[in-house]
Structure formats: C-alpha cells, structure tokens
Amino acid sequence: MKMIRKSIAKYANGFTLSLIMVSLFNALLVIAKESNNALKEWMKVATGHHWTTHGVVVLIMFIALGLVLSNTNIVERLDVRKALVAVLMVTIISGFIITGFFWTHI
Amino acid sequence: MTAEGILMSHVVFGVLGILGGIWVFAEVLHVNESNRKRIIYASIATAILIWISYLLGGYWYVEYYGPDKAIIKAGPWPWAHLFFMEVKEHIFFSLLLLGTFLPIAVYSNNLLADKNAKHLVLGVAGLIVFIGLGMEGFGAVIAMGVKMGLLAG
C-alpha cells in the first residue's frame, strides 16, 4: 500500500500544474473555436461534434501534461500553498472568460 | 423516454457528485487517523459520479439536444441556449478536471500532516460543490427555456 501511495505521490504536483494549465486552455479554446469557423468545423469533423472534440482534447491534454510534468524537476519546486491559490484563481478566471465571452455574444 | 431517462440520470448523478464533494469537504475538515480511508473512497466516488454525469449529459447533448435547442432559440428565452447552455457545456469541463484531480490530490498527500495539502483538497472540493450547484441552476434555466418556447408556440 505504501509503495503504491509513493508511486502515485510523484504525480500529484504534476497533475496540479496540469489542472492549472488545462483549465485556462479550456477557456481559451472556447474563444478560439467560437471566433474561428474553420477551427470549429475541423473540431466538428474530427469526432462528429465540436463539443466532443473539445472534451477529448482537454482530457488528453490534462492526462498528457500531468504525466510529462510529473517527470520533470518543475514539480519539485511547486509550493502547495501557491498551487492552491493558482487552482482557485485559474478556475475563477476561466469561468469569467467563458461567461464573459458568451455574455457579449447573446 | 430514453432521452428523458438519460437527461434525468445526468441530473441525478450530478447532484450525487455535489453531495460527494460536500462529503469530502466535511471529512477533510475533520481529518484524523480514523477517516483517512473514508476520504479516499469519498473522493473516488465523487470523481466517478461526476464522470457518469458528464458521459450521460454529453451523450444526451450530442444526440438529443438539437430539437430542444431549436425550440429555445425560437422562443421568448433564446438566451437560455445562447448564454446558459453554452456556458454550462464548457464550464462542465472545469468540473470534470477538478473531479478527476480530487482523488489524486487526496491519495498522494498526507492531509493529516500537511496543512497546505489539506487546504488544497478543501479548495478543490469547495469548487466542485460551487460549480456543481451552478450547473444545476443553469440546467433549470435551460429546461425553462424549452418550456417557454413550447408555451409560446
């Protein structure tokens, strides 16, 4: 049990950073696809629906970035307190980006 | 009936996911040796419930939402789709990421010894509850948008 916990523990900071980056990326991808018809059309063709592609891209990025960052020394310097503030801030900011974007496009 | 069943299941699992977030929050607030395993199980349950809600809601949205969308956009509350559905379908990804991250943060940290890690998990669980409640409210507005469209037609 302890060995499993130890092997999983090394991924915690990597996925924290990944969460921060991908949350922001999610909001920016909304603006990008809604502002660029070619991108939205490509996303629609890729899986049959732009929203499905959006979800697949976000989830693959979250997992891939989490795994990659877990194996770099960036995560060793991660301050959990700063990470908490960053997670809260990025989630709130990306929420404002998405709501703000659609509010101006009603 | 299938569409309605899927939609209602999406809502039910979403509510259960929110309750899971509240459960994790309450347990972590009073973390001790006796509830450490329960926190792990609660965080995994929360992630699974949010994922089920996402898959059910996503399937319904892609397969069945089209006619409802047309009714809303032709009715007196077009913003129920143009704002509320558009925001809901994209902010849900934040909820999904937070829900997936929750058990990773719980399992890989010693919440009893590390106060910062404890606060991180509390923050993530709190966000899950907050965003989850928002999603439920947005869903209610979208449903009302359909009703208003049908009544007007």
Side-chain angles (χ1 to χ4, degrees), chain A residues 5-74:
Chain A
R5 180 185 290 274
K6 203 173 178 184
S7 66
I8 289 179
K10 89 172 200 178
Y11 293 106
N13 290 352
F15 276 95
T16 304
L17 284 175
S18 179
L19 176 68
I20 292 163
M21 291 177 186
V22 178
S23 289
L24 197 57
F25 171 79
N26 174 44
L28 297 177
L29 184 58
V30 171
I31 295 174
K33 75 172 179 181
E34 295 296 338
S35 310
N36 185 330
N37 277 337
L39 175 63
K40 193 170 183 178
E41 193 56 35
W42 176 84
M43 289 174 73
K44 189 178 176 183
V45 171
T47 60
H49 200 292
H50 68 87
W51 183 78
T52 310
T53 308
H54 192 128
V56 170
V57 169
V58 164
L59 290 168
I60 288 176
M61 272 195 73
F62 176 63
I63 294 165
L65 265 177
L67 292 173
V68 169
L69 290 169
S70 299
N71 291 299
T72 64
N73 59 3
I74 301 169

Side-chain angles (χ1 to χ4, degrees), chain A residues 5 12 16 26 33 51 55 99, chain B residues 58 83 89-90 93 101 107-108:
Chain A
R5 180 185 290 274
T16 304
N26 174 44
K33 75 172 179 181
W51 183 78
T99 50
Chain B
F83 180 74
E89 72 187 57
H90 292 107
F93 291 131
F101 176 71
Y107 195 80
S108 55

Side-chain angles (χ1 to χ4, degrees), chain B residues 70-102:
Chain B
I71 293 168
I72 295 171
K73 288 179 85 173
W77 284 19
W79 38 264
H81 168 78
L82 296 171
F83 180 74
F84 285 92
M85 180 52 111
E86 292 285 9
V87 170
K88 183 178 192 282
E89 72 187 57
H90 292 107
I91 286 189
F92 202 102
F93 291 131
S94 294
L95 186 60
L96 190 63
L97 293 174
L98 290 164
T100 309
F101 176 71
L102 186 66

Side-chain angles (χ1 to χ4, degrees), chain B:
Chain B
M1 187 59 194
T2 308
E4 288 79 5
I6 292 170
L7 184 58
M8 285 188 291
S9 301
H10 159 68
V11 177
V12 168
F13 280 102
V15 170
L16 292 174
I18 294 168
L19 292 176
I22 294 170
W23 182 18
V24 171
F25 193 94
E27 294 278 9
V28 173
L29 213 51
H30 306 285
V31 62
N32 56 65
E33 279 299 335
S34 66
N35 74 348
R36 283 172 72 172
K37 269 195 173 174
R38 205 161 56 234
I39 293 170
I40 292 171
Y41 296 145
S43 67
I44 293 170
T46 303
I48 291 170
L49 290 164
I50 290 171
W51 264 91
I52 294 172
S53 180
Y54 163 67
L55 292 171
L56 287 167
Y59 182 75
W60 178 86
Y61 173 70
V62 170
E63 293 295 321
Y64 299 107
Y65 179 61
D68 284 3
K69 178 180 167 181
I71 293 168
I72 295 171
K73 288 179 85 173
W77 284 19
W79 38 264
H81 168 78
L82 296 171
F83 180 74
F84 285 92
M85 180 52 111
E86 292 285 9
V87 170
K88 183 178 192 282
E89 72 187 57
H90 292 107
I91 286 189
F92 202 102
F93 291 131
S94 294
L95 186 60
L96 190 63
L97 293 174
L98 290 164
T100 309
F101 176 71
L102 186 66
I104 298 171
V106 165
Y107 195 80
S108 55
N109 286 303
N110 185 346
L111 303 180
L112 202 52
D114 189 342
K115 259 194 172 174
N116 287 333
K118 178 183 168 180
H119 290 149
L120 176 67
V121 173
L122 284 172
V124 171
L127 282 172
I128 287 172
V129 174
F130 181 73
I131 296 173
L133 288 172
M135 296 292 97
E136 295 294 335
F138 275 40
V141 174
I142 296 158
M144 275 303 291
V146 178
K147 186 177 176 182
M148 295 301 287
L150 289 170
L151 288 172

